[in-house]
Amino acid sequence: MRFYSSLSRVRGLNYPAKILLVTFLGIHLPLISVVAVALVFSLADWGTVLLILAVLLAATLIGTACTLLVLYDLLAPILAASRALRDYRQSGRLPVLPLDFDDEAGTLMRDTDSTIRELDELVRKLTDLDAESGLPNRNRLRQLIDDQLAARKRIAVVCLLVQNRSEIDYFFDVPTGRELLAAFVERLRDEPSVLEVGRVAPGIIKFSMPLQERSDLEDALSALSERLSRPLTSGDYAFYPRLLLGVARPPEDGARADALMSAAMTATKNAEPDAESNVLFYSAESQRSARRLFEMDQEIRTAIETGQFELHYQPIVEFDRRRVVSAEALIRWRHPERGLIPPNSFIPLAEGAGLIIPLGQWILETACRQAAEMGRSLVETPRLSINMSARQFSDPDLLSTLDRAVEAAGIAHDALKFEITETVVVTDLKQARRTIAALKERGIAVVLDDFGAEHSNLRYIANIDFDEMKIDRQFVSHIDADSRLKAICTSILTLAEGLGVPVVAEGVERREELDTLHRLGCRQFQGYLFSRPIPAGQFPDAVRTLVTEIADPGFAMAPSR
Ligand code: C2E
Ligand code: MG
Ligand code: MG
């Protein structure tokens, strides 16, 4: 490369020109030599010399011109390969190179072409595709939908939420989880009405489909959802996708992909848990409530700082011994404008926003402090039962927060119980088991809350070591008049007996419910029949009154309260 490197330093000429110049000089070397010899030896017959020179010059010039032309053409593959690389780097344009030559120059063009295309594919995968599903990612999908809209295609945008996606992580190993996801994606892609599909987050897929009248769209999506909800199997296990579909339509819900995609997402956020249809259309109202949720998120942060939360306590009664054995701590938000807000309106939101950690810490500290206060004014202090959300339960700092709160309040760990639901276990079984073991080591009882209301998978029961079970209110309410509820409660009580754990029936409102459950073998009760949740300050007095009331054999016999 020595000659090349000296030549490359010559300015003012490009590479082909330099090659042509070198060639020109090379070809004219014989001619130049003849002139030099004639000059040096002063040949006599200048006429002949000039004639020879003229002929030589003419012949060489014609030969050179032809050589240079051909040479320039021979250089074309190198120049084309170089241009292709520069074009790709500068504007991402893919090369258009001839690929049907197989000498060195042809190989250079082919290699350049395939290298650029492979590189482009790789870059596209990295920037446009979701690694887990192989579907376009959020950005790519946005472009694809915008392209459809620009081409004046009439489309609706759908957000498909797989609500129980975490079950895949719980029940299946990683490769099987991937397989199930791939099968689900394939099923979706096979749907003729599904146009562009992309995965924007785990459990969230968005796609476009032809726009139709609202009722037709709803029917089409219900049918599609039914087909997609069919079980996906792996070995002996099956995954039943639980789907929610949010729909956004242009132009009302947005003109561009961005607006439509987020409107479709907003629509899914406003699903009522017991709504009849799982197809939800975006509306200005759903946007307003999404906005309200956002504002509430901000407000929760302020409310923690300004002390707007309070704990109320609901007694749990062991009816045979007419005692209040424990009390469930239930959080309330005393909002300066909206009054007392129940937990179901903000706990899920706090959980989603990660605010449950500071809020949970406040709950623990407050419950411990109030347990100490109750201990000073009640002869028999009920154990305080604290609700734990999944996120809170998997917080690595939970135990240290707990230990600090218990120590600061000067109470024993066994003054507390923790209520967890099956969601806690589904979220991370291993971690849940570790935390449960650590709690039990400290003497904290673990209560399985809302039994029967969620997954009700006996694998959870087999996998976690809990001390008590609570039957959800939906199985308790009007149990006296419903033989199916009786059958369910009987089996829960039998199961609990087999496991050797006591059962609390939640939401007992009527004496008839109490009597029926008592006959079935339930011994502990919680509900409005005994008491509503009470602010901490009034709790000791309320417990004393309640204990006197239930000591009366005619308690709540008639009329039922
Ligand atoms: P949960 O743990 O199942 O609590 C029982 C719910 O049933 C409470 O609702 C209670 O007020 C209500 N209840 C009790 N007896 C009756 C009755 O006889 N009739 C009726 N209709 N309802 C009754 P609340 O206080 O609205 O709490 C709802 C849920 O919010 C709780 O369900 C719990 O999951 C969650 N929650 C409450 N406080 C906390 C907390 O401090 N932390 C966390 N993470 N979650 C909480
Ligand atoms: Mg509870
Ligand atoms: Mg409950």
Side-chain angles (χ1 to χ4, degrees), residues 314 328 331-332 343 363 387 449-450 473 506 509 528:
Q314 188 177 31
E328 178 170 10
I331 193 168
R332 267 77 185 118
I363 293 168
N387 288 288
D449 200 0
D450 303 341
R473 187 166 74 90
E506 284 188 296
E509 292 185 358
Y528 296 170

